[in-house]
Each structure stands twice: as structure tokens, then as C-alpha cells.
Amino acid sequence: MTLPEEVPCMLMRGGTSKGAYFLAGDLPGDAAARDDLLLRLMGSPDPRQIDGLGGAHPLTSKVAVVRPSDDPDADVEYLFLQVAVGEAEVSGGQNCGNLLAGVGPFAVERGLVPAGGDRTTVRIRMMNTGDLAAATFPTPGGRVEYAGTTALSGVPGTAAPVVVDFPPGSGALLPTGRVRDTVAGTPVTCVDNGMPTVLIAAADLRDTGITGYENPGELEENTALARRLREIRLAAGALMGLGDVSTATVPKLSLLAPPAEGGAVTTRTFIPVRCHTSIGVLGAASVAAGLLIPGNVGERIARLPPPGGRVRIEHPTGHLDVTAAVDVGEDGTTPVPGRTAVVRTARKIFDGTVFARPAAPYRTSAPAPAPAPLEGGTDDSASR
């Protein structure tokens, strides 16, 4: 008898996403073997992910791999992996700021970082990009406290706050070197404040029949919009130095419309094909920074707070507040990222062992064939 592979795992909600958290030492060191195992653990490829941990959506088919860091500027290293739902693909081409919210608590739970009194700060190296972040969260009595009064749009109930601070990254805030570009006949602002993002005024896509206030399902059903966004993403990806992004998960595309609920701007973000039911943390950080650059495509759309105020990014299920700053580089003209911070929450859902589906060819789930009638009688199983 062949026993199933078993791996220690913690399932956590981080921000508005959900994912499986693993210690790097509990997974194969070879990337191909690791990815094959993760596909079988998550239940991909299958649009329902019925035979694994995944929740049949990109936001619930995520993995965080964490290990101690030898870097004097970091306590742990965090590798984010996006496990595709309907395809046998695992991508490390982007960060995830939502799962990032759970990395600090996970590191304390696993003993990688000791609790530091009533509050603990964990310094995190995000291996997808090399950037740093610091997560601060309550640890009264030396244990992670998940209960609290902080509410997040798109998450039921409340939980303890996790303050995630991002020091300025070393990459270009404007990857193309320009505040505005025209791609596929559409004005855009390409920005990267932790997530390569293309800002597009929804009004510039009115020929596809959208306003920017539709719900995600309506936008996903708009085939004219899908074709236009694909053209923009492929062209913008090349301009941003990302190469051929036809099979990549970046850049993200954020449609901008005037705020509807008193925030700075209304967004609809594509990740990259499905429309996000909210907005990613790093995507929101990039939108906020982009809006602060004079001349951006959202300049006449956004209603920005006074300098130093939080930029409230509206999304389909509420809003996300971002503390963001844009400074000027040594040449006196080039915009460079300043401090960025957000408040998230996280919750431990289970901690235990997950068992992998056997390593065999996958078939996507399909309705089972009707059972054959019982010999000598009729099949009444449907009525039982």
C-alpha cells in the first residue's frame, strides 16, 4: 500500500485572501518537485479544487513558504506562490500583501521568531522581489492574539490588527520612466510600489460599455472589455520591462473611477484576468502611490486627502486605507517611493497535517456518469 504524502500545514486567512502556510524545510527543495506537490495539496488543476485545500478562486488558492533568514535586516524569508485553479501552474512571479499579513504570526507560531512582549514585530524579506516589510501584531503573554476589533472590508467580523510597514523599495516607481504612456490606444500610468500595476481611467474604456462601478461578475462577462484589457496588459508588460506577460500574473490592471463612498478613488482590479472582489494590499499601495504623482491618469478622477493623510481606495466590497508617500529623487525630478503602510488582519484557521493527492494524471472534475440500473430492478438511488 502506498501511503499519501503528508506535510505540516497551517491554513490562514491573511487580509482578504486565504492560503496554506508551510515551513520551507517541510517541502521539497527542488522547485519542480515542490510545485508538483503543491498542486496536489491544493487540488489543482480542477475548477472546483474539490480534492484539495483550494477554494476554487485565485484569492483562496495561495501558498506562503517561510524560513528563517540569514539576512541581518530580516528575521524570516517569505516566498509567495500562486497556485492556478484550472491549470497545473504554480507562479512565483509576484508578491501577495494579503498573505504577508499572516507571515509574522505564522513565524511566531512555528518558533522562528520569539514573541516580544505585548506586541511583536517580525521583519520579513519578500523573496519574490527582494523587498522588505515589517509586520507588528499583538502577542500578550507570549502568544499570538487573533481576536480584536479591527474590521476589514470583505472579511466577516473583526480581528486583531496587523500593521504592515513597507520601507521604500529600490526599484523604479515608474518602470517606463514616464508618468503617462499610451498602450493599445489607451492612456495609462504604469507604477510599481510593490506590485507592477497599470492604472487606467474607466472612462477611457467607455467604448466597451463600462463605467467602473460594475460588480466583478459583470466585468468578467464583458468580452469586449476582456479583449481590450488583454491588449493593454501585453503591451504595458513589455514597456515595464516584464517581457512577454501572456502567461504571467503581473502586471495587474486597476480601473479608476471617481469615488462613490467618500474615498479617494473607486477601483476595479484584474488579477490579471479575474476581477478582484476587493483589492490586493500591494496593488492598493501601487494605486495610492500612482495617484500621488502629478500628471497620472487618475489626477482628475481622484480626491486625495491632505498631504500625509491616508489614501482610501474603494473596491467592490468596501475600502482599503493606505498610508503612502512619494518623494523626489536625487535628480530633483524623478518620483521615488516613500513610506507605505497598511493595517490588515489575519486568523489561524487550522494547524495540522495535509495529505496530498496521489501523484497521478489529473482530470478536471466532471459530473459522474449515471449509475447502471440494478439487475432485475430499477435504480431508485436518486430518491433515497
PDB file of all heavy atoms in Angstrom, residues 74-115:
ATOM      1  N   ALA A  74      16.492  41.059   8.201  1.00  0.00           N
ATOM      2  CA  ALA A  74      15.234  40.312   8.195  1.00  0.00           C
ATOM      3  C   ALA A  74      15.292  39.173   9.198  1.00  0.00           C
ATOM      4  O   ALA A  74      16.357  38.613   9.474  1.00  0.00           O
ATOM      5  CB  ALA A  74      14.946  39.763   6.792  1.00  0.00           C
ATOM      6  N   ASP A  75      14.133  38.846   9.741  1.00  0.00           N
ATOM      7  CA  ASP A  75      14.018  37.693  10.635  1.00  0.00           C
ATOM      8  C   ASP A  75      13.649  36.433   9.864  1.00  0.00           C
ATOM      9  O   ASP A  75      14.136  35.343  10.173  1.00  0.00           O
ATOM     10  CB  ASP A  75      12.946  37.968  11.697  1.00  0.00           C
ATOM     11  CG  ASP A  75      13.259  39.183  12.549  1.00  0.00           C
ATOM     12  OD1 ASP A  75      14.397  39.256  13.064  1.00  0.00           O
ATOM     13  OD2 ASP A  75      12.389  40.059  12.676  1.00  0.00           O
ATOM     14  N   VAL A  76      12.758  36.587   8.887  1.00  0.00           N
ATOM     15  CA  VAL A  76      12.313  35.441   8.101  1.00  0.00           C
ATOM     16  C   VAL A  76      12.252  35.825   6.636  1.00  0.00           C
ATOM     17  O   VAL A  76      12.226  37.008   6.267  1.00  0.00           O
ATOM     18  CB  VAL A  76      10.918  34.923   8.553  1.00  0.00           C
ATOM     19  CG1 VAL A  76      10.962  34.427   9.990  1.00  0.00           C
ATOM     20  CG2 VAL A  76       9.851  35.989   8.361  1.00  0.00           C
ATOM     21  N   GLU A  77      12.227  34.808   5.788  1.00  0.00           N
ATOM     22  CA  GLU A  77      12.043  34.981   4.349  1.00  0.00           C
ATOM     23  C   GLU A  77      10.702  34.368   3.952  1.00  0.00           C
ATOM     24  O   GLU A  77      10.346  33.284   4.430  1.00  0.00           O
ATOM     25  CB  GLU A  77      13.186  34.320   3.577  1.00  0.00           C
ATOM     26  CG  GLU A  77      14.523  34.972   3.871  1.00  0.00           C
ATOM     27  CD  GLU A  77      15.690  34.263   3.207  1.00  0.00           C
ATOM     28  OE1 GLU A  77      15.479  33.162   2.642  1.00  0.00           O
ATOM     29  OE2 GLU A  77      16.814  34.799   3.258  1.00  0.00           O
ATOM     30  N   TYR A  78       9.994  35.070   3.093  1.00  0.00           N
ATOM     31  CA  TYR A  78       8.632  34.672   2.690  1.00  0.00           C
ATOM     32  C   TYR A  78       8.572  34.592   1.174  1.00  0.00           C
ATOM     33  O   TYR A  78       8.833  35.569   0.474  1.00  0.00           O
ATOM     34  CB  TYR A  78       7.641  35.690   3.231  1.00  0.00           C
ATOM     35  CG  TYR A  78       6.336  35.869   2.482  1.00  0.00           C
ATOM     36  CD1 TYR A  78       5.479  34.794   2.219  1.00  0.00           C
ATOM     37  CD2 TYR A  78       5.924  37.140   2.067  1.00  0.00           C
ATOM     38  CE1 TYR A  78       4.276  34.984   1.552  1.00  0.00           C
ATOM     39  CE2 TYR A  78       4.722  37.336   1.417  1.00  0.00           C
ATOM     40  CZ  TYR A  78       3.899  36.265   1.152  1.00  0.00           C
ATOM     41  OH  TYR A  78       2.711  36.452   0.499  1.00  0.00           O
ATOM     42  N   LEU A  79       8.279  33.401   0.680  1.00  0.00           N
ATOM     43  CA  LEU A  79       8.069  33.189  -0.748  1.00  0.00           C
ATOM     44  C   LEU A  79       6.578  32.968  -0.979  1.00  0.00           C
ATOM     45  O   LEU A  79       5.979  32.062  -0.394  1.00  0.00           O
ATOM     46  CB  LEU A  79       8.854  31.968  -1.233  1.00  0.00           C
ATOM     47  CG  LEU A  79       8.639  31.573  -2.708  1.00  0.00           C
ATOM     48  CD1 LEU A  79       9.200  32.643  -3.647  1.00  0.00           C
ATOM     49  CD2 LEU A  79       9.257  30.217  -2.997  1.00  0.00           C
ATOM     50  N   PHE A  80       5.986  33.806  -1.826  1.00  0.00           N
ATOM     51  CA  PHE A  80       4.582  33.634  -2.176  1.00  0.00           C
ATOM     52  C   PHE A  80       4.471  32.846  -3.468  1.00  0.00           C
ATOM     53  O   PHE A  80       5.185  33.122  -4.441  1.00  0.00           O
ATOM     54  CB  PHE A  80       3.891  34.993  -2.356  1.00  0.00           C
ATOM     55  CG  PHE A  80       2.530  34.873  -2.993  1.00  0.00           C
ATOM     56  CD1 PHE A  80       1.484  34.276  -2.301  1.00  0.00           C
ATOM     57  CD2 PHE A  80       2.300  35.309  -4.289  1.00  0.00           C
ATOM     58  CE1 PHE A  80       0.231  34.143  -2.886  1.00  0.00           C
ATOM     59  CE2 PHE A  80       1.061  35.184  -4.882  1.00  0.00           C
ATOM     60  CZ  PHE A  80       0.021  34.595  -4.175  1.00  0.00           C
ATOM     61  N   LEU A  81       3.556  31.882  -3.488  1.00  0.00           N
ATOM     62  CA  LEU A  81       3.295  31.089  -4.682  1.00  0.00           C
ATOM     63  C   LEU A  81       1.801  31.089  -4.972  1.00  0.00           C
ATOM     64  O   LEU A  81       0.994  30.771  -4.093  1.00  0.00           O
ATOM     65  CB  LEU A  81       3.802  29.646  -4.502  1.00  0.00           C
ATOM     66  CG  LEU A  81       5.317  29.506  -4.323  1.00  0.00           C
ATOM     67  CD1 LEU A  81       5.680  28.083  -3.932  1.00  0.00           C
ATOM     68  CD2 LEU A  81       6.057  29.922  -5.582  1.00  0.00           C
ATOM     69  N   GLN A  82       1.463  31.484  -6.187  1.00  0.00           N
ATOM     70  CA  GLN A  82       0.074  31.451  -6.640  1.00  0.00           C
ATOM     71  C   GLN A  82      -0.173  30.134  -7.348  1.00  0.00           C
ATOM     72  O   GLN A  82       0.471  29.829  -8.354  1.00  0.00           O
ATOM     73  CB  GLN A  82      -0.214  32.607  -7.592  1.00  0.00           C
ATOM     74  CG  GLN A  82      -1.637  32.638  -8.131  1.00  0.00           C
ATOM     75  CD  GLN A  82      -2.650  33.045  -7.069  1.00  0.00           C
ATOM     76  OE1 GLN A  82      -2.582  34.123  -6.496  1.00  0.00           O
ATOM     77  NE2 GLN A  82      -3.606  32.160  -6.800  1.00  0.00           N
ATOM     78  N   VAL A  83      -1.079  29.336  -6.814  1.00  0.00           N
ATOM     79  CA  VAL A  83      -1.417  28.054  -7.420  1.00  0.00           C
ATOM     80  C   VAL A  83      -2.647  28.271  -8.303  1.00  0.00           C
ATOM     81  O   VAL A  83      -3.711  28.681  -7.815  1.00  0.00           O
ATOM     82  CB  VAL A  83      -1.700  26.987  -6.342  1.00  0.00           C
ATOM     83  CG1 VAL A  83      -2.063  25.659  -6.993  1.00  0.00           C
ATOM     84  CG2 VAL A  83      -0.490  26.824  -5.430  1.00  0.00           C
ATOM     85  N   ALA A  84      -2.482  28.039  -9.598  1.00  0.00           N
ATOM     86  CA  ALA A  84      -3.613  28.213 -10.508  1.00  0.00           C
ATOM     87  C   ALA A  84      -4.719  27.233 -10.152  1.00  0.00           C
ATOM     88  O   ALA A  84      -4.465  26.152  -9.603  1.00  0.00           O
ATOM     89  CB  ALA A  84      -3.160  28.012 -11.951  1.00  0.00           C
ATOM     90  N   VAL A  85      -5.941  27.615 -10.463  1.00  0.00           N
ATOM     91  CA  VAL A  85      -7.088  26.770 -10.130  1.00  0.00           C
ATOM     92  C   VAL A  85      -7.338  25.735 -11.222  1.00  0.00           C
ATOM     93  O   VAL A  85      -7.309  24.531 -10.973  1.00  0.00           O
ATOM     94  CB  VAL A  85      -8.341  27.638  -9.899  1.00  0.00           C
ATOM     95  CG1 VAL A  85      -9.573  26.747  -9.652  1.00  0.00           C
ATOM     96  CG2 VAL A  85      -8.131  28.576  -8.718  1.00  0.00           C
ATOM     97  N   GLY A  86      -7.568  26.189 -12.441  1.00  0.00           N
ATOM     98  CA  GLY A  86      -7.932  25.273 -13.521  1.00  0.00           C
ATOM     99  C   GLY A  86      -6.772  24.765 -14.338  1.00  0.00           C
ATOM    100  O   GLY A  86      -6.966  23.946 -15.234  1.00  0.00           O
ATOM    101  N   GLU A  87      -5.552  25.242 -14.055  1.00  0.00           N
ATOM    102  CA  GLU A  87      -4.370  24.806 -14.791  1.00  0.00           C
ATOM    103  C   GLU A  87      -3.328  24.273 -13.819  1.00  0.00           C
ATOM    104  O   GLU A  87      -3.306  24.647 -12.649  1.00  0.00           O
ATOM    105  CB  GLU A  87      -3.753  25.961 -15.604  1.00  0.00           C
ATOM    106  CG  GLU A  87      -4.638  26.504 -16.702  1.00  0.00           C
ATOM    107  CD  GLU A  87      -5.692  27.460 -16.178  1.00  0.00           C
ATOM    108  OE1 GLU A  87      -5.385  28.204 -15.210  1.00  0.00           O
ATOM    109  OE2 GLU A  87      -6.823  27.452 -16.699  1.00  0.00           O
ATOM    110  N   ALA A  88      -2.449  23.436 -14.320  1.00  0.00           N
ATOM    111  CA  ALA A  88      -1.378  22.881 -13.491  1.00  0.00           C
ATOM    112  C   ALA A  88      -0.192  23.847 -13.480  1.00  0.00           C
ATOM    113  O   ALA A  88       0.878  23.563 -14.018  1.00  0.00           O
ATOM    114  CB  ALA A  88      -0.961  21.506 -14.007  1.00  0.00           C
ATOM    115  N   GLU A  89      -0.381  24.996 -12.865  1.00  0.00           N
ATOM    116  CA  GLU A  89       0.636  26.040 -12.852  1.00  0.00           C
ATOM    117  C   GLU A  89       0.825  26.584 -11.434  1.00  0.00           C
ATOM    118  O   GLU A  89      -0.147  26.790 -10.713  1.00  0.00           O
ATOM    119  CB  GLU A  89       0.248  27.197 -13.778  1.00  0.00           C
ATOM    120  CG  GLU A  89       0.152  26.819 -15.247  1.00  0.00           C
ATOM    121  CD  GLU A  89      -0.323  27.977 -16.102  1.00  0.00           C
ATOM    122  OE1 GLU A  89      -0.529  29.085 -15.539  1.00  0.00           O
ATOM    123  OE2 GLU A  89      -0.492  27.792 -17.315  1.00  0.00           O
ATOM    124  N   VAL A  90       2.083  26.811 -11.091  1.00  0.00           N
ATOM    125  CA  VAL A  90       2.430  27.469  -9.836  1.00  0.00           C
ATOM    126  C   VAL A  90       3.357  28.620 -10.193  1.00  0.00           C
ATOM    127  O   VAL A  90       4.369  28.421 -10.860  1.00  0.00           O
ATOM    128  CB  VAL A  90       3.122  26.509  -8.852  1.00  0.00           C
ATOM    129  CG1 VAL A  90       3.508  27.240  -7.570  1.00  0.00           C
ATOM    130  CG2 VAL A  90       2.223  25.319  -8.539  1.00  0.00           C
ATOM    131  N   SER A  91       3.007  29.832  -9.762  1.00  0.00           N
ATOM    132  CA  SER A  91       3.768  31.013 -10.153  1.00  0.00           C
ATOM    133  C   SER A  91       4.326  31.733  -8.933  1.00  0.00           C
ATOM    134  O   SER A  91       3.614  31.931  -7.947  1.00  0.00           O
ATOM    135  CB  SER A  91       2.883  31.983 -10.954  1.00  0.00           C
ATOM    136  OG  SER A  91       3.542  33.223 -11.159  1.00  0.00           O
ATOM    137  N   GLY A  92       5.588  32.127  -9.040  1.00  0.00           N
ATOM    138  CA  GLY A  92       6.215  32.970  -8.019  1.00  0.00           C
ATOM    139  C   GLY A  92       6.568  34.329  -8.573  1.00  0.00           C
ATOM    140  O   GLY A  92       7.462  34.991  -8.075  1.00  0.00           O
ATOM    141  N   GLY A  93       5.834  34.760  -9.593  1.00  0.00           N
ATOM    142  CA  GLY A  93       6.174  35.994 -10.292  1.00  0.00           C
ATOM    143  C   GLY A  93       5.673  37.259  -9.633  1.00  0.00           C
ATOM    144  O   GLY A  93       5.833  38.337 -10.195  1.00  0.00           O
ATOM    145  N   GLN A  94       5.078  37.173  -8.451  1.00  0.00           N
ATOM    146  CA  GLN A  94       4.556  38.365  -7.794  1.00  0.00           C
ATOM    147  C   GLN A  94       4.562  38.171  -6.293  1.00  0.00           C
ATOM    148  O   GLN A  94       4.735  37.061  -5.785  1.00  0.00           O
ATOM    149  CB  GLN A  94       3.123  38.638  -8.249  1.00  0.00           C
ATOM    150  CG  GLN A  94       2.152  37.545  -7.780  1.00  0.00           C
ATOM    151  CD  GLN A  94       0.710  37.862  -8.080  1.00  0.00           C
ATOM    152  OE1 GLN A  94       0.281  37.703  -9.199  1.00  0.00           O
ATOM    153  NE2 GLN A  94      -0.027  38.308  -7.072  1.00  0.00           N
ATOM    154  N   ASN A  95       4.401  39.260  -5.560  1.00  0.00           N
ATOM    155  CA  ASN A  95       4.181  39.202  -4.128  1.00  0.00           C
ATOM    156  C   ASN A  95       2.693  39.082  -3.831  1.00  0.00           C
ATOM    157  O   ASN A  95       1.853  39.273  -4.710  1.00  0.00           O
ATOM    158  CB  ASN A  95       4.691  40.490  -3.467  1.00  0.00           C
ATOM    159  CG  ASN A  95       6.180  40.445  -3.178  1.00  0.00           C
ATOM    160  OD1 ASN A  95       6.732  39.395  -2.912  1.00  0.00           O
ATOM    161  ND2 ASN A  95       6.825  41.597  -3.225  1.00  0.00           N
ATOM    162  N   CYS A  96       2.374  38.795  -2.579  1.00  0.00           N
ATOM    163  CA  CYS A  96       0.983  38.885  -2.106  1.00  0.00           C
ATOM    164  C   CYS A  96       1.010  39.587  -0.758  1.00  0.00           C
ATOM    165  O   CYS A  96       1.496  39.022   0.235  1.00  0.00           O
ATOM    166  CB  CYS A  96       0.330  37.518  -1.984  1.00  0.00           C
ATOM    167  SG  CYS A  96      -1.354  37.602  -1.294  1.00  0.00           S
ATOM    168  N   GLY A  97       0.482  40.818  -0.722  1.00  0.00           N
ATOM    169  CA  GLY A  97       0.466  41.573   0.510  1.00  0.00           C
ATOM    170  C   GLY A  97      -0.577  41.113   1.503  1.00  0.00           C
ATOM    171  O   GLY A  97      -0.484  41.421   2.688  1.00  0.00           O
ATOM    172  N   ASN A  98      -1.605  40.379   1.028  1.00  0.00           N
ATOM    173  CA  ASN A  98      -2.595  39.862   1.959  1.00  0.00           C
ATOM    174  C   ASN A  98      -2.053  38.691   2.765  1.00  0.00           C
ATOM    175  O   ASN A  98      -2.110  38.686   3.993  1.00  0.00           O
ATOM    176  CB  ASN A  98      -3.876  39.488   1.216  1.00  0.00           C
ATOM    177  CG  ASN A  98      -4.798  40.680   1.033  1.00  0.00           C
ATOM    178  OD1 ASN A  98      -5.194  41.319   1.996  1.00  0.00           O
ATOM    179  ND2 ASN A  98      -5.124  40.998  -0.210  1.00  0.00           N
ATOM    180  N   LEU A  99      -1.492  37.684   2.083  1.00  0.00           N
ATOM    181  CA  LEU A  99      -0.890  36.578   2.835  1.00  0.00           C
ATOM    182  C   LEU A  99       0.272  37.054   3.700  1.00  0.00           C
ATOM    183  O   LEU A  99       0.589  36.456   4.727  1.00  0.00           O
ATOM    184  CB  LEU A  99      -0.417  35.472   1.894  1.00  0.00           C
ATOM    185  CG  LEU A  99      -1.460  34.536   1.289  1.00  0.00           C
ATOM    186  CD1 LEU A  99      -0.813  33.223   0.852  1.00  0.00           C
ATOM    187  CD2 LEU A  99      -2.626  34.260   2.202  1.00  0.00           C
ATOM    188  N   LEU A 100       0.919  38.148   3.273  1.00  0.00           N
ATOM    189  CA  LEU A 100       2.001  38.722   4.063  1.00  0.00           C
ATOM    190  C   LEU A 100       1.553  39.020   5.487  1.00  0.00           C
ATOM    191  O   LEU A 100       2.327  38.901   6.440  1.00  0.00           O
ATOM    192  CB  LEU A 100       2.502  40.000   3.377  1.00  0.00           C
ATOM    193  CG  LEU A 100       3.557  40.835   4.103  1.00  0.00           C
ATOM    194  CD1 LEU A 100       4.853  40.043   4.255  1.00  0.00           C
ATOM    195  CD2 LEU A 100       3.815  42.130   3.345  1.00  0.00           C
ATOM    196  N   ALA A 101       0.273  39.392   5.650  1.00  0.00           N
ATOM    197  CA  ALA A 101      -0.243  39.716   6.979  1.00  0.00           C
ATOM    198  C   ALA A 101      -0.176  38.532   7.927  1.00  0.00           C
ATOM    199  O   ALA A 101      -0.138  38.710   9.152  1.00  0.00           O
ATOM    200  CB  ALA A 101      -1.679  40.233   6.872  1.00  0.00           C
ATOM    201  N   GLY A 102      -0.182  37.321   7.400  1.00  0.00           N
ATOM    202  CA  GLY A 102      -0.123  36.140   8.255  1.00  0.00           C
ATOM    203  C   GLY A 102       1.273  35.614   8.492  1.00  0.00           C
ATOM    204  O   GLY A 102       1.469  34.714   9.322  1.00  0.00           O
ATOM    205  N   VAL A 103       2.275  36.154   7.788  1.00  0.00           N
ATOM    206  CA  VAL A 103       3.635  35.602   7.892  1.00  0.00           C
ATOM    207  C   VAL A 103       4.223  35.821   9.276  1.00  0.00           C
ATOM    208  O   VAL A 103       4.846  34.919   9.861  1.00  0.00           O
ATOM    209  CB  VAL A 103       4.536  36.218   6.801  1.00  0.00           C
ATOM    210  CG1 VAL A 103       6.000  35.828   7.034  1.00  0.00           C
ATOM    211  CG2 VAL A 103       4.085  35.759   5.417  1.00  0.00           C
ATOM    212  N   GLY A 104       4.044  37.018   9.847  1.00  0.00           N
ATOM    213  CA  GLY A 104       4.570  37.270  11.184  1.00  0.00           C
ATOM    214  C   GLY A 104       3.958  36.362  12.227  1.00  0.00           C
ATOM    215  O   GLY A 104       4.683  35.697  12.986  1.00  0.00           O
ATOM    216  N   PRO A 105       2.622  36.307  12.317  1.00  0.00           N
ATOM    217  CA  PRO A 105       2.015  35.365  13.264  1.00  0.00           C
ATOM    218  C   PRO A 105       2.456  33.919  13.039  1.00  0.00           C
ATOM    219  O   PRO A 105       2.714  33.180  13.997  1.00  0.00           O
ATOM    220  CB  PRO A 105       0.514  35.541  13.003  1.00  0.00           C
ATOM    221  CG  PRO A 105       0.387  36.969  12.564  1.00  0.00           C
ATOM    222  CD  PRO A 105       1.610  37.210  11.729  1.00  0.00           C
ATOM    223  N   PHE A 106       2.543  33.490  11.788  1.00  0.00           N
ATOM    224  CA  PHE A 106       2.985  32.122  11.492  1.00  0.00           C
ATOM    225  C   PHE A 106       4.409  31.902  12.000  1.00  0.00           C
ATOM    226  O   PHE A 106       4.723  30.842  12.563  1.00  0.00           O
ATOM    227  CB  PHE A 106       2.906  31.875   9.987  1.00  0.00           C
ATOM    228  CG  PHE A 106       3.423  30.532   9.543  1.00  0.00           C
ATOM    229  CD1 PHE A 106       2.678  29.382   9.723  1.00  0.00           C
ATOM    230  CD2 PHE A 106       4.674  30.418   8.932  1.00  0.00           C
ATOM    231  CE1 PHE A 106       3.154  28.137   9.314  1.00  0.00           C
ATOM    232  CE2 PHE A 106       5.161  29.187   8.516  1.00  0.00           C
ATOM    233  CZ  PHE A 106       4.397  28.042   8.712  1.00  0.00           C
ATOM    234  N   ALA A 107       5.283  32.898  11.804  1.00  0.00           N
ATOM    235  CA  ALA A 107       6.669  32.757  12.254  1.00  0.00           C
ATOM    236  C   ALA A 107       6.747  32.592  13.772  1.00  0.00           C
ATOM    237  O   ALA A 107       7.564  31.807  14.281  1.00  0.00           O
ATOM    238  CB  ALA A 107       7.489  33.970  11.809  1.00  0.00           C
ATOM    239  N   VAL A 108       5.897  33.308  14.500  1.00  0.00           N
ATOM    240  CA  VAL A 108       5.875  33.153  15.959  1.00  0.00           C
ATOM    241  C   VAL A 108       5.279  31.811  16.339  1.00  0.00           C
ATOM    242  O   VAL A 108       5.784  31.107  17.222  1.00  0.00           O
ATOM    243  CB  VAL A 108       5.097  34.317  16.603  1.00  0.00           C
ATOM    244  CG1 VAL A 108       4.883  34.062  18.093  1.00  0.00           C
ATOM    245  CG2 VAL A 108       5.838  35.640  16.391  1.00  0.00           C
ATOM    246  N   GLU A 109       4.200  31.413  15.674  1.00  0.00           N
ATOM    247  CA  GLU A 109       3.563  30.119  15.960  1.00  0.00           C
ATOM    248  C   GLU A 109       4.541  28.965  15.758  1.00  0.00           C
ATOM    249  O   GLU A 109       4.515  27.983  16.512  1.00  0.00           O
ATOM    250  CB  GLU A 109       2.351  29.925  15.043  1.00  0.00           C
ATOM    251  CG  GLU A 109       1.195  30.882  15.273  1.00  0.00           C
ATOM    252  CD  GLU A 109       0.171  30.329  16.256  1.00  0.00           C
ATOM    253  OE1 GLU A 109       0.467  29.326  16.935  1.00  0.00           O
ATOM    254  OE2 GLU A 109      -0.922  30.929  16.341  1.00  0.00           O
ATOM    255  N   ARG A 110       5.390  29.067  14.748  1.00  0.00           N
ATOM    256  CA  ARG A 110       6.332  27.987  14.437  1.00  0.00           C
ATOM    257  C   ARG A 110       7.658  28.118  15.180  1.00  0.00           C
ATOM    258  O   ARG A 110       8.572  27.314  14.994  1.00  0.00           O
ATOM    259  CB  ARG A 110       6.600  27.948  12.928  1.00  0.00           C
ATOM    260  CG  ARG A 110       5.450  27.370  12.104  1.00  0.00           C
ATOM    261  CD  ARG A 110       5.324  25.867  12.342  1.00  0.00           C
ATOM    262  NE  ARG A 110       4.357  25.239  11.451  1.00  0.00           N
ATOM    263  CZ  ARG A 110       3.097  24.964  11.794  1.00  0.00           C
ATOM    264  NH1 ARG A 110       2.675  25.269  13.016  1.00  0.00           N
ATOM    265  NH2 ARG A 110       2.285  24.396  10.937  1.00  0.00           N
ATOM    266  N   GLY A 111       7.790  29.139  16.029  1.00  0.00           N
ATOM    267  CA  GLY A 111       9.007  29.293  16.818  1.00  0.00           C
ATOM    268  C   GLY A 111      10.186  29.872  16.064  1.00  0.00           C
ATOM    269  O   GLY A 111      11.317  29.824  16.562  1.00  0.00           O
ATOM    270  N   LEU A 112       9.948  30.446  14.890  1.00  0.00           N
ATOM    271  CA  LEU A 112      11.042  31.060  14.137  1.00  0.00           C
ATOM    272  C   LEU A 112      11.455  32.396  14.744  1.00  0.00           C
ATOM    273  O   LEU A 112      12.610  32.821  14.610  1.00  0.00           O
ATOM    274  CB  LEU A 112      10.645  31.270  12.674  1.00  0.00           C
ATOM    275  CG  LEU A 112      10.191  30.045  11.885  1.00  0.00           C
ATOM    276  CD1 LEU A 112       9.902  30.430  10.438  1.00  0.00           C
ATOM    277  CD2 LEU A 112      11.231  28.944  11.954  1.00  0.00           C
ATOM    278  N   VAL A 113      10.508  33.074  15.370  1.00  0.00           N
ATOM    279  CA  VAL A 113      10.747  34.374  15.999  1.00  0.00           C
ATOM    280  C   VAL A 113      10.080  34.348  17.369  1.00  0.00           C
ATOM    281  O   VAL A 113       8.906  33.957  17.475  1.00  0.00           O
ATOM    282  CB  VAL A 113      10.147  35.528  15.150  1.00  0.00           C
ATOM    283  CG1 VAL A 113      10.358  36.869  15.839  1.00  0.00           C
ATOM    284  CG2 VAL A 113      10.765  35.544  13.759  1.00  0.00           C
ATOM    285  N   PRO A 114      10.784  34.736  18.426  1.00  0.00           N
ATOM    286  CA  PRO A 114      10.150  34.741  19.749  1.00  0.00           C
ATOM    287  C   PRO A 114       9.177  35.904  19.881  1.00  0.00           C
ATOM    288  O   PRO A 114       9.366  36.969  19.292  1.00  0.00           O
ATOM    289  CB  PRO A 114      11.340  34.908  20.704  1.00  0.00           C
ATOM    290  CG  PRO A 114      12.380  35.620  19.885  1.00  0.00           C
ATOM    291  CD  PRO A 114      12.205  35.122  18.476  1.00  0.00           C
ATOM    292  N   ALA A 115       8.119  35.676  20.632  1.00  0.00           N
ATOM    293  CA  ALA A 115       7.191  36.768  20.919  1.00  0.00           C
ATOM    294  C   ALA A 115       7.909  37.831  21.730  1.00  0.00           C
ATOM    295  O   ALA A 115       8.718  37.526  22.610  1.00  0.00           O
ATOM    296  CB  ALA A 115       5.978  36.234  21.673  1.00  0.00           C
TER     297      ALA A 115
END
